[in-house]
Amino acid sequence: MLKSKKAEVIEQLTTSFANTTAVVICDYKGLTVSELEELRKSARAKDTSVQVVKNTLATIALNNAEMSGVEIKDTNIFIWSDDVINAAKIAADFAKDHDKFVIKAGYLDKEPADVAKIEAFAKLPGRDELLGMLAATWMAPVTNLAVGIDALRKKKEEEEA
């Protein structure tokens, strides 16, 4: 790779990593091209990026984005997203179905994270699910009030009849 191309890749990755909240580093050695495309397709559906990057370039980009503390070695694929839970879920779900895909480490909110922490985030409900739960919680008092008023109306109608 030419020096200018390396600088371009580092700049692009630095920008991406600096503007994201989650980076998950995984080992993909032994996966087929079609399996990697399956990973990319599932990530794309959730606005998440997936890229295989040379370790030295990734290390420089992560350091430039003020993320350090995780040793990067062997073959790595990087998964990053603005949604911490999405990035963790994509990696964990893909690892369940593919034995050769292994989560190594990552960064969650710019802080180093181990495999256990990433898997814990993967078990949390997603943003849309959380918003649904919140909406249901907010709607419960209104629903109960409507049911109570309707019951009162029926009772008044029965008393008048």
Side-chain angles (χ1 to χ4, degrees), residues 13-15 17-19 58-69 107 109-112:
L13 286 174
T14 299
T15 303
F17 292 157
N19 296 327
T59 301
I60 293 168
L62 286 167
N63 287 334
N64 290 346
E66 299 178 5
M67 294 183 201
S68 59
Y107 297 92
D109 291 324
K110 309 271 188 209
E111 297 295 321

Side-chain angles (χ1 to χ4, degrees), residues 24-31 36 39 73-79 90-92 94-106 115 118-119:
V24 181
I25 305 165
C26 305
D27 186 355
Y28 70 97
K29 192 174 188 174
L31 291 178
L36 287 174
L39 173 63
K73 59 183 180 180
D74 299 325
T75 54
N76 295 303
I77 190 164
F78 293 79
I79 302 170
I90 289 167
F94 196 77
K96 278 185 213 166
D97 299 335
H98 301 85
D99 294 337
K100 295 176 183 175
F101 186 82
V102 179
I103 300 171
K104 293 171 142 183
V115 177
I118 293 168
E119 288 176 346

Side-chain angles (χ1 to χ4, degrees), residues 12-13 15-26 36-53 76-84 86-91 101:
Q12 181 258 334
L13 286 174
T15 303
S16 295
F17 292 157
N19 296 327
T20 193
T21 55
V23 178
V24 181
I25 305 165
C26 305
L36 287 174
E37 282 305 312
E38 179 186 332
L39 173 63
R40 285 186 174 99
K41 185 178 178 183
S42 66
R44 211 175 300 123
K46 294 186 177 183
D47 293 328
T48 301
S49 301
V50 175
Q51 188 172 345
V52 175
V53 184
N76 295 303
I77 190 164
F78 293 79
I79 302 170
W80 68 91
S81 175
D82 288 335
D83 187 344
V84 175
N86 269 351
K89 274 185 189 280
I90 289 167
F101 186 82

